[in-house]
Amino acid sequence: MGKVKISQVKSTIKRPKDQKATIKALGLGRISKTVEVELTPQIAGMINKVSHLVSVTEV
């Protein structure tokens, strides 16, 4: 699979605990933080769950 850059663009304040946990598991936690990860089915599912909070770019 390829790599993707994931950036947090919205806050997790007033979000359900599972969305907060997903953001933390992706290695994010504050607005503008960016991580580069391998795109696996598990990561794709996590991105889908918090797609309204993150921005995704293919590398």
Side-chain angles (χ1 to χ4, degrees):
M1 301 249 167
K3 288 198 164 233
V4 291
K5 274 188 179 179
I6 308 168
S7 301
Q8 185 173 345
V9 293
K10 289 191 178 177
S11 174
T12 57
I13 294 173
K14 291 192 176 181
R15 300 290 174 186
K17 286 183 182 180
D18 61 333
Q19 290 180 11
K20 290 180 183 183
T22 302
I23 288 288
K24 191 168 184 173
L26 285 170
L28 303 171
R30 63 179 185 270
I31 297 176
S32 304
K33 186 162 185 183
T34 303
V35 293
E36 190 173 314
V37 294
E38 193 74 28
L39 185 61
T40 62
Q42 293 83 5
I43 295 293
M46 293 166 83
I47 291 170
N48 189 37
K49 186 169 193 161
V50 293
S51 61
H52 56 288
L53 302 175
V54 298
S55 164
V56 181
T57 329
E58 288 188 33
V59 177

